[in-house]
Amino acid sequence: MVTEVGRASSRSACILLQPNQSLSLSGNLWVFISLVAVSLGISLAFALAGAWMILPFAGLELLLLGALFAYVYTESTKREVIRINGERVVLDCCRGHRQQSVYHREFVRDSLDVLVRMGGSATEPASVSFSGPEGCLEVGGFLTDAERAELIRKLGQCGICARKEKGYQVQEF
């Protein structure tokens, strides 16, 4: 999702990027607990019938399932904040339940290039990158193509123009 948190003027804004999260932490826990209950119920029934070797494999399955649930939840809580002011464009990324900082990058606004790699469709962007003397960084890797197009539109409203590239040819918007 692309959300404009605040706009002080036509050249400054704060844009929040976050993936769509269909299930909260408590919802994820309920799904995980119900899968644990079903798996343990079936494995205990087999163990009582004499197939006790199923218990270690059921435990391994639940351990792997728990690790995957934790990974998916952590990735779905990723947030990127783009702060645009008169001179700088600041990109902060954080993830996890406590929103631990992953990276902080500042770009000089005048030397910032927003590169858009186009996908299979002529109107849908496949990736958006900030590039400048400070380095190159992909922004909103978790966004859908329509959300990337919305991000480009919001950046354009702040006076930051993007250029689109198809293959190795660069075309201006």
Side-chain angles (χ1 to χ4, degrees):
M1 291 190 300
V2 178
T3 308
E4 192 167 338
V5 179
R7 179 179 287 275
S9 69
S10 63
R11 290 186 46 88
S12 65
C14 184
I15 301 170
L16 173 67
L17 308 177
Q18 57 189 4
N20 293 330
Q21 186 177 8
S22 60
L23 208 55
S24 66
L25 177 61
S26 61
N28 276 322
L29 287 175
W30 276 108
V31 170
F32 179 69
I33 289 171
S34 65
L35 290 173
V36 166
V38 169
S39 180
L40 283 181
I42 292 171
S43 61
L44 285 176
F46 274 97
L48 291 175
W52 58 270
M53 279 300 293
I54 199 168
L55 288 177
F57 293 105
L60 185 62
E61 174 191 16
L62 294 177
L63 183 67
L64 180 63
L65 186 65
L68 290 175
F69 262 82
Y71 174 76
V72 168
Y73 181 75
T74 301
E75 286 298 311
S76 70
T77 58
K78 187 174 184 176
R79 306 286 182 266
E80 291 181 2
V81 179
I82 303 170
R83 287 190 300 275
I84 304 167
N85 61 30
E87 304 166 354
R88 306 197 67 71
V89 176
V90 179
L91 177 65
D92 287 315
C93 179
C94 52
R95 82 170 49 148
H97 183 64
R98 295 190 175 124
Q99 295 299 303
Q100 298 155 338
S101 181
V102 176
Y103 58 81
H104 171 88
R105 185 73 63 92
E106 294 188 22
F107 295 93
V108 176
R109 184 180 178 136
D110 295 335
S111 64
L112 176 68
D113 288 327
V114 178
L115 303 174
V116 181
R117 186 176 53 84
M118 300 307 288
S121 170
T123 59
E124 299 294 326
S127 72
V128 177
S129 299
F130 285 180
S131 177
E134 300 84 0
C136 185
L137 188 65
E138 183 178 356
V139 178
F142 47 80
L143 297 176
T144 65
D145 290 342
E147 291 170 338
R148 285 188 190 104
E150 176 70 15
L151 172 62
I152 293 166
R153 188 184 67 75
K154 288 188 183 298
L155 289 172
Q157 289 174 349
C158 294
I160 299 177
C161 297
R163 61 181 184 174
K164 103 176 122 165
E165 53 185 60
K166 188 164 180 94
Y168 294 104
Q169 298 175 354
V170 175
Q171 302 170 347
E172 295 296 323
F173 262 81

